[in-house]
């Protein structure tokens, strides 16, 4: 899913999150989002991708969501999930 919560009201956002939770035990769901709060709420596993000028995006860090959001290994990941850039 690409930005499943984009421009939704709070009730619809909640329902999308509930639906993802219901489906997650049966299928793998991949979400692309810039909304760190939503990603933290619904993710079990996360990857942080970063593109630089004149270079394609690549995975900077991947791991359990709890680790990525609370104790990332890479300072670029920490900067992004803590809202210092992006």
């Amino acid at each position: 899913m690409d930005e499943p919560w984009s421009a939704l009201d709070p009730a619809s956002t909640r329902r999308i999150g509930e639906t993802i939770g219901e489906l997650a035990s049966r299928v793998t769901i991949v979400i692309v989002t810039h909304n760190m709060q939503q990603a933290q709420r619904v993710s079990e596993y996360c990857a942080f991708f970063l593109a630089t000028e004149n270079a394609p995006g690549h995975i900077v860090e991947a791991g359990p969501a709890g680790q990525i959001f609370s104790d990332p290994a890479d300072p670029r990941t920490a900067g992004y999930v803590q809202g210092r850039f992006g």
Side-chain angles (χ1 to χ4, degrees):
M1 294 181 206
D2 186 9
E3 297 286 353
W5 300 279
S6 180
L8 294 178
D9 62 276
S12 297
T13 297
R14 183 181 65 249
R15 184 63 187 128
I16 294 288
E18 291 168 353
T19 301
I20 289 170
E22 293 165 6
L23 294 171
S25 65
R26 296 184 301 231
V27 297
T28 299
I29 300 171
V30 177
I31 298 170
V32 176
T33 187
H34 295 90
N35 187 322
M36 293 300 95
Q37 295 85 3
Q38 293 293 349
Q40 191 170 11
R41 274 195 286 273
V42 303
S43 299
E44 293 177 18
Y45 192 85
C46 290
F48 173 59
F49 291 73
L50 185 63
T52 56
E53 190 171 331
N54 299 319
H58 65 280
I59 296 175
V60 171
E61 183 170 359
Q67 176 186 335
I68 296 295
F69 286 101
S70 65
D71 190 26
D74 192 290
R76 296 170 295 176
T77 305
Y80 189 76
V81 301
Q82 294 167 3
R84 292 195 299 265
F85 78 92

